[in-house]
């Protein structure tokens, strides 16, 4: 009983979202952090499948990774996934999934741990955008410098030509 209470306390107070899922992807057990991330109550989540929240492009890779878990090819996997916990809201998560076998039986469950990396992902995108803008600035500065060099040559040649033209006042 003490171990159960300790486990439940750790599970519920974890700083990451944790969900225990059936092989079919239905939530069997979720902690409060996962409920907060998905903007759903525990009761609601226990009626849903994890696939309902994942971007379709990411879902294909997640299902392939789960198949590798079940076959024993890998013991665990991690994947950056785009979640849509509600309409119009996007969340990025670092999902780690492990297979949990029940004793020596063939029965198993999937343990999913989700770390919200939305802010980090947005910061990375802003940094990438700033780096692109810096590269464009350097490129335009280089083009302007080269153009200025060409203009200097043209102006110099025009001055030389002007010296050879009678009545230009530059003889």
């Amino acid at each position: 009983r003490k171990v159960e209470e300790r486990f439940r306390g750790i599970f519920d107070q974890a700083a990451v979202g944790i969900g225990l899922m059936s092989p079919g992807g239905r939530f069997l057990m979720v902690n409060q952090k996962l409920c907060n991330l998905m903007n759903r109550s525990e009761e609601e989540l226990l009626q849903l499948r994890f696939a309902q929240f994942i971007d379709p492009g990411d879902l294909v890779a997640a299902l392939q990774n789960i198949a590798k878990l079940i076959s024993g090819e890998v013991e665990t996997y991690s994947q950056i996934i785009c979640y849509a916990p509600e309409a119009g809201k996007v969340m990025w998560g670092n999902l780690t999934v492990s297979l949990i076998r029940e004793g020596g039986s063939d029965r198993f469950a999937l343990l999913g741990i989700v770390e919200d990396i939305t802010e980090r992902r947005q910061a990375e995108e802003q940094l990438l955008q700033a780096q692109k803008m810096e590269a464009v600035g350097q490129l335009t500065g280089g083009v302007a410098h080269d153009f200025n060099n060409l203009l200097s040559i043209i102006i110099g040649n025009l001055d030389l030509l002007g010296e050879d033209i009678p009545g230009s006042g530059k003889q």
Side-chain angles (χ1 to χ4, degrees):
R1 183 178 168 104
K2 256 186 164 180
V3 171
E4 174 68 26
E5 287 175 13
R6 186 175 299 146
F7 165 77
R8 194 58 161 155
I10 292 169
F11 183 79
D12 287 337
Q13 297 301 315
V16 293
I18 303 173
L20 190 64
M21 297 165 286
S22 71
R26 183 171 297 283
F27 289 109
L28 303 171
M29 186 178 188
V30 294
N31 71 349
Q32 187 57 49
K33 181 68 173 185
L34 187 63
C35 293
N36 295 345
L37 291 174
M38 298 302 153
N39 200 27
R40 300 280 199 290
S41 70
E42 182 177 355
E43 294 76 26
E44 288 176 296
L45 278 181
L46 294 178
Q47 300 302 312
L48 302 172
R49 289 178 162 45
F50 82 98
Q52 293 173 266
F53 298 101
I54 297 177
D55 180 82
D58 293 337
L59 181 58
V60 172
L63 293 175
Q64 289 171 346
N65 287 325
I66 288 171
K68 289 178 184 179
L69 274 175
I70 293 170
S71 71
E73 193 175 327
V74 295
E75 291 182 22
T76 186
Y77 80 88
S78 290
Q79 177 182 353
I80 303 283
I81 290 188
C82 181
Y83 292 92
E86 58 186 274
K89 183 179 178 190
V90 173
M91 182 194 96
W92 289 92
N94 184 11
L95 173 67
T96 302
V97 179
S98 301
L99 193 69
I100 308 295
R101 294 210 182 268
E102 291 184 17
S105 73
D106 289 341
R107 295 182 57 168
F108 63 89
L110 301 167
L111 177 66
I113 299 173
V114 180
E115 176 189 6
D116 184 358
I117 59 166
T118 305
E119 288 180 13
R120 182 173 77 195
R121 183 78 178 214
Q122 290 169 342
E124 288 171 356
E125 288 175 7
Q126 288 174 350
L127 176 62
L128 183 60
Q129 185 65 26
Q131 288 172 335
K132 286 180 185 177
M133 295 303 291
E134 181 182 1
V136 168
Q138 288 176 349
L139 179 64
T140 55
V143 169
H145 180 72
D146 291 345
F147 188 67
N148 188 36
N149 288 342
L150 289 173
L151 284 178
S152 296
I153 292 169
I154 292 170
I155 291 170
N157 286 331
L158 287 174
D159 282 345
L160 289 173
L161 285 173
E163 292 175 4
D164 293 339
I165 298 175
S168 67
K170 292 191 173 187
Q171 292 179 353

